[in-house]
Amino acid sequence: MMILRLAAGVAVLAISGMGSFSAEAAGAAAAHHGLPACTVSLPSNSTNTAVLQLANNEVLCAPGTFTNKKTITVASGGSAVIEAPNFVNDGLVNASEGTTLQFTSLPSNLKGTTLTGGQWVAAGVISLPAAITTIAANVTLSGGGEIEDSTNSANAVDSLSTITRTGTFTLDNSAYLGTGSVTSAGTVILGTKGNSGDSVNWQDSGTFTMTGGSFAFLDGSACINVGSNAFTITGGTMSGFGMLTGTVTVSGSAIFAPTLDGAQAAFALNGSYTQTGGTFQDTVNNPAGTPGVGALSVSGAVNLGGTLDVFSTGMRPATGTALQILNGSSVSGHFKAVQNAGVAGFSASTDSGSASIVTMASAPPLAPRSPHAANKGAHAAKVTWPQPTSNGGQPIKGYIITASPACACKGLKAGATAKSTIVSGLRAGTRYTFVIAAWNSVGTGLASVATNSVTTPKQR
């Protein structure tokens, strides 16, 4: 292990490697090949395990394999070069705003035009000697930052055509990108959560096809534009609040959700929306007594099919409340099925005239949360529970308690206002758990999670 302090004295680099390397020899070799002379040289086959900050005009030379396990960055406002014929990024390469980090050789992570492994963050410029058509790594373009193709001084990511299942691609802080057609099975993130007005702008001159993974809009000003071309979603989840221009089709196992982390959102689509399969997933709640719902606003025609999945993250609106989940210049078709995720109590009209309306319906109560059990003598246990957070829109009429293992016990039913019961007639020396379900005029709700276990005393 050797500790190397860089010339500018701004950082300490922990390097493990074998052998020795001459800075003078490296500088001569670099100059011979028309490369900048080395200012810092590493042993052959080195590994960075610390935060390495290169000084302005630093040229780091590393023969053999140079592996980054931690972080490589550049001093504020600086420009630096890494001359490594076999650079492997298993950590973070970060060019902050106003900095440039140039790689004179193709990193091992860039196989042809496919970028694999590690994290690459460019708020400044990361310069690589190739275009990037496929992202299988974690890549972020922030603000005016770019990953540059040094062979033609263009943005290397402008050639992007594929984001693989292992790839994550983020645009934030009002970043701009122009690409052709793209297919994604990975993770795409536009905007910065909480950064109101983060006007990320992705201009796609071709089509966009989403076959899996996720596509999240974190800011209402973030947008992607495919013009009048197709934006096809056959798998994965598109969510959040933002803007999309294109002809959107949802099918297969795809989920389109104008929600963000379980909260309702507003999504604007400049184009048309057709759902032939998949799921339209939405959130309704009742904050401060005002019913609200995530909404999709479409400038063109809407044609519906597939499944509607509605759930709540808090207080549910009153039974009979009608909420519009989407609108367009015209709405045709209808959802073929309606399901509820997590919280029951929602229905939807399936006739074509009002397919965009969700109406709150009565439902069984929710399950009581965090029930508890305690011994109560030789053959009994006391079971307690809190009132469910929702009665389903109708008054709770009582509770049903189920013991495991089953028993012909007393106390397995409780009244509407009860929060506990004594279950008697248990077998001695037996370990029990209990679940509780509430019921109303609509039906019996889902059972709670099981209580902690209690063991009745053995008979002497």
Side-chain angles (χ1 to χ4, degrees), residues 379-383 385 398-415 418 420-426 432-439 444:
H379 300 282
K382 182 176 183 180
V383 182
W385 60 88
Y399 296 88
I400 298 171
I401 298 87
T402 303
S404 179
C407 68
C409 299
K410 295 181 179 179
L412 296 180
K413 292 183 179 180
S420 67
T421 187
I422 303 296
V423 180
S424 60
L426 302 174
Y432 287 94
T433 60
F434 305 89
V435 296
I436 302 93
W439 65 280
T444 302

Side-chain angles (χ1 to χ4, degrees), residues 69-338:
K69 294 285 189 181
K70 189 68 174 180
T71 301
I72 297 177
T73 187
V74 181
S76 178
S79 179
V81 176
I82 292 180
E83 168 55 34
N86 190 21
F87 175 77
V88 179
N89 181 29
D90 290 335
L92 167 64
V93 172
N94 182 15
S96 58
E97 185 177 2
T99 68
T100 298
L101 180 56
Q102 178 185 0
F103 292 84
T104 58
S105 297
L106 204 63
S108 295
N109 300 79
L110 190 52
K111 302 179 187 302
T113 57
T114 298
L115 187 62
T116 65
Q119 186 176 4
W120 307 76
V121 177
V125 177
I126 297 174
S127 181
L128 304 173
I132 297 173
T133 62
T134 301
I135 290 178
N138 189 329
V139 176
T140 297
L141 300 183
S142 184
E146 68 173 357
I147 298 179
E148 178 192 62
D149 178 357
S150 59
T151 65
N152 59 15
S153 298
N155 189 335
V157 188
D158 283 352
S159 301
L160 180 66
S161 62
T162 304
I163 302 169
T164 71
R165 181 177 54 83
T166 59
T168 297
F169 184 45
T170 301
L171 295 174
D172 63 22
N173 289 319
S174 300
Y176 174 87
L177 180 67
T179 65
S181 295
V182 174
T183 297
S184 177
T187 300
V188 178
I189 301 170
L190 300 188
T192 306
K193 189 174 181 180
N195 182 5
S196 180
D198 188 353
S199 53
V200 165
N201 187 354
W202 185 345
Q203 297 290 322
D204 183 331
S205 62
T207 61
F208 195 102
T209 303
M210 183 175 166
T211 61
S214 62
F215 197 126
F217 293 77
L218 303 188
D219 191 285
S221 297
C223 73
I224 182 170
N225 183 356
V226 298
S228 59
N229 296 320
F231 198 110
T232 304
I233 311 171
T234 62
T237 300
M238 173 169 281
S239 64
F241 50 102
M243 297 181 287
L244 190 157
T245 296
T247 302
V248 174
T249 301
V250 177
S251 63
S253 61
I255 296 173
F256 188 97
T259 65
L260 183 63
D261 296 336
Q264 62 199 38
F267 195 99
L269 170 56
N270 180 23
S272 62
Y273 180 88
T274 299
Q275 184 173 333
T276 60
T279 301
F280 189 101
Q281 191 176 83
D282 209 347
T283 303
V284 300
N285 54 33
N286 194 30
T290 303
V293 63
L296 169 64
S297 179
V298 184
S299 66
V302 175
N303 190 352
L304 296 177
T307 297
L308 172 65
D309 188 1
V310 186
F311 61 101
S312 176
T313 57
M315 288 287 291
R316 60 189 300 278
T319 299
T321 302
L323 300 167
Q324 188 165 20
I325 62 173
L326 59 86
N327 63 76
S329 61
S330 64
V331 178
S332 61
H334 57 83
F335 295 110
K336 308 299 183 184
V338 179

Side-chain angles (χ1 to χ4, degrees), residues 348-420:
S349 172
T350 55
D351 66 88
S352 60
S354 57
S356 60
I357 301 297
V358 175
T359 303
M360 305 300 296
S362 297
L366 296 185
R369 296 179 180 178
S370 305
H372 180 76
N375 281 322
K376 194 73 173 178
H379 300 282
K382 182 176 183 180
V383 182
T384 59
W385 60 88
Q387 185 178 3
T389 56
S390 172
N391 64 7
Q394 295 294 328
I396 291 174
K397 291 183 174 294
Y399 296 88
I400 298 171
I401 298 87
T402 303
S404 179
C407 68
C409 299
K410 295 181 179 179
L412 296 180
K413 292 183 179 180
T417 61
K419 294 184 179 179
S420 67

